[in-house]
C-alpha cells in the first residue's frame, strides 16, 4: 500500500463504494465499471477513479473492475480484514439503538459489551448484549480484547468516560456525546455530529430556493 | 453568493467551523485567524482559507475573521437563517434518541412531531414531543409546515415511509434506515451510515499498525 496521505473524504467514499459493491455482488454482478459505481452511489466516474488510484491499479480498461476483488481490496484497506469487537458506553436510548444498528452488523462490527452506571441495568442484557458496570470497564475491555469504544453518554459525562477508556487499552473512540473531548495522542478519536447531516440538507434546500428565484 | 458547485466535504466542514465559532464566541473571542480555526477543528489553515474562499472575502489580513460575523455568514450559507421544523418517523430507540439529541437542539433544529404505527405509542408524548399515527402524517406535516423528515424505522419499512413522505410536501429526507431508498428528484435525500465512522477509525488503526511495523 502506498503511504500517501489519503484524504478523509476518500476514506469515507471507499466505505460507501464497498457497501455498494456488496449489494451488487449479492445480485450476481461480476464486473463493474467506475461509471456504474459512480451512478450507484451518486458520484462522478472521475472521482471514483481518482479515489481508487490511491491504491494502485486494479481495474482493466474496457472491462472495469472485478467487483469481488475490488471490494475485498477496499475492505482490507479499511482495516476490515480483521475483527474489531466494540464496546458501547451508555445504555440509554442511543446506546440501545446502536446495539441493534443493522449498519454495524452488516459490516462485521460486533458489539460485545455495554457499560452503564445504572444499577437497574447492570447485569441485564440489552438486545442480547450484557450490560456491565462502568466500574468493571478496564477488566472487561481487556478480557474481551475491545479496541474500539463508542461513547453514548450525556455530554457532561463524556470526558470522564474518555479518560477512563484511555486507561483500558482502547485504541479508538467514536464519540456521540455533544461535547468536545480530548484523548491521549495514541488514541484515534472521531466525533459524530448528526446535525451536520441536517445542515447539508438545509444548505441544499437554500440553494434550491436561490435557483427557483433566479428562474 | 457565488453559484459555484461547492463540494459536499466543504459544506460538512463549514458546519464544523460554525460549531467551533459558536464555542469560541461563548468564551468571548472576537477575532480569529484561519490558523486558530484549523487548530480548533483539527484541520489545516490552507483548507480553512480555501473553504471560506468559496463565499468571497470576509477576513482581514493580519487580523483574521470577526468570529461573530463569520459564523453568521456561514449559518446563512448553510440555510440556518430560517427555522426548519423536523418530523421523525419511527418512535423506537433511535427515533427516541434523536428527539433528545443535543446536537440538533444546539443548531436550532426543532423536532415537532413523531410518527409511528404502534397503537401503544400513538397519542402519547416522547420527551415532550407528540407521537402521531402514520395514517395522519400528510395532514400533520402540512399543518406544522414540516419540510425535513427523518426516517428511523426498520429497513424493510423505509421505502414505504419515503413514498408516503413524498406525498406530504416534504422537501428533504434524512434516512437512518439501512436500506437504499429512492425518492422523487425534487426531494433532497441523505442516507446516514454510522458504520462509515467506525471504518474511518479502523482505516486509521490499520495505518498505525503498518507504520509500527516499519519502525
Amino acid at each position: 500500500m502506498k503511504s500517501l496521505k489519503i484524504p478523509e473524504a476518500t476514506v469515507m467514499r471507499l466505505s460507501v463504494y464497498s457497501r455498494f459493491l456488496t449489494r451488487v455482488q449479492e445480485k450476481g454482478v461480476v464486473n463493474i465499471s467506475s461509471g456504474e459505481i459512480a451512478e450507484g452511489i451518486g458520484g462522478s466516474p472521475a472521482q471514483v477513479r481518482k479515489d481508487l488510484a490511491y491504491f494502485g491499479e486494479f481495474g482493466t480498461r474496457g472491462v472495469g473492475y472485478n467487483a469481488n476483488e475490488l471490494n475485498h481490496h477496499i475492505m482490507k484497506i479499511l482495516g476490515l480484514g480483521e475483527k474489531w469487537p466494540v464496546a458501547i458506553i451508555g445504555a440509554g436510548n442511543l446506546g440501545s439503538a446502536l446495539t441493534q444498528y443493522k449498519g454495524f452488523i452488516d459490516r462485521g462490527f460486533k458489539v460485545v459489551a455495554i457499560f452503564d452506571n445504572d444499577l437497574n441495568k447492570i447485569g441485564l442484557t440489552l438486545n442480547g448484549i450484557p450490560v456491565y458496570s462502568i466500574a468493571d470497564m478496564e477488566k472487561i475491555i481487556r478480557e474481551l480484547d475491545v479496541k474500539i469504544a463508542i461513547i453514548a453518554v450525556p455530554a457532561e459525562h463524556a470526558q470522564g468516560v474518555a479518560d477512563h477508556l484511555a486507561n483500558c487499552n482502547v485504541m479508538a473512540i467514536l464519540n456521540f456525546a455533544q461535547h468536545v473531548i480530548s484523548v491521549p495522542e495514541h488514541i484515534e478519536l472521531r466525533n459524530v455530529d448528526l446535525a451536520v447531516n441536517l445542515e447539508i440538507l438545509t444548505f441544499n434546500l437554500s440553494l434550491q430556493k436561490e435557483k427557483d428565484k433566479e428562474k
Side-chain angles (χ1 to χ4, degrees), chain A:
Chain A
M1 199 188 301
K2 296 183 203 170
S3 60
L4 285 169
K5 171 99 180 97
I6 297 159
E8 194 174 278
T10 297
V11 180
M12 288 177 80
R13 281 191 298 266
L14 287 176
S15 175
V16 173
Y17 299 158
S18 171
R19 245 154 284 238
F20 173 70
L21 289 169
T22 303
R23 282 206 308 278
V24 299
Q25 279 175 270
E26 284 165 2
K27 285 182 195 156
V29 170
V30 176
N31 289 311
I32 192 156
S33 68
S34 49
E36 286 164 325
I37 297 175
E39 203 193 321
I41 62 118
S44 80
Q47 180 77 75
V48 172
R49 281 192 296 268
K50 195 179 157 199
D51 287 339
L52 299 179
Y54 276 99
F55 311 101
E57 290 295 328
F58 43 97
T60 313
R61 186 170 280 275
V63 179
Y65 304 94
N66 176 290
N68 179 40
E69 214 176 283
L70 179 59
N71 197 7
H72 187 81
H73 199 92
I74 295 178
M75 302 257 309
K76 218 181 140 205
I77 288 165
L78 292 173
L80 300 177
E82 49 187 305
K83 293 266 167 248
W84 298 102
V86 172
I88 295 175
I89 328 302
N93 278 322
L94 182 60
S96 188
L98 293 176
T99 60
Q100 297 177 288
Y101 188 65
K102 199 173 162 287
F104 290 168
I105 301 162
D106 283 352
R107 299 292 282 171
F109 292 105
K110 193 169 157 41
V111 179
V112 294
I114 310 164
F115 296 93
D116 206 292
N117 53 15
D118 183 342
L119 294 174
N120 293 317
K121 292 177 179 170
I122 296 165
L124 302 180
T125 63
L126 200 57
N127 304 315
I129 298 148
V131 182
Y132 301 102
S133 163
I134 286 197
D136 297 328
M137 202 153 76
E138 193 170 342
K139 182 173 151 280
I140 305 280
I141 280 188
R142 284 176 194 269
E143 269 176 22
L144 298 176
D145 200 29
V146 167
K147 298 291 176 224
I148 302 178
I150 299 178
I151 299 182
V153 299
E156 62 272 28
H157 299 308
Q159 185 62 57
V161 166
D163 293 344
H164 196 156
L165 284 169
N167 292 326
C168 298
N169 237 3
V170 154
M171 291 165 71
I173 294 177
L174 192 61
N175 176 34
F176 276 92
Q178 287 307 293
H179 187 84
V180 180
I181 61 173
S182 55
V183 294
E185 216 173 284
H186 68 277
I187 295 180
E188 295 285 338
L189 171 67
R190 194 166 166 83
N191 295 298
V192 180
D193 192 331
L194 298 174
V196 168
N197 294 291
L198 283 181
E199 292 178 20
I200 291 171
L201 289 176
T202 55
F203 171 82
N204 288 328
L205 292 180
S206 299
L207 223 59
Q208 250 186 42
K209 270 196 191 172
E210 290 290 318
K211 275 186 203 154
D212 289 346
K213 267 189 217 161
E214 280 166 23
K215 273 176 200 165

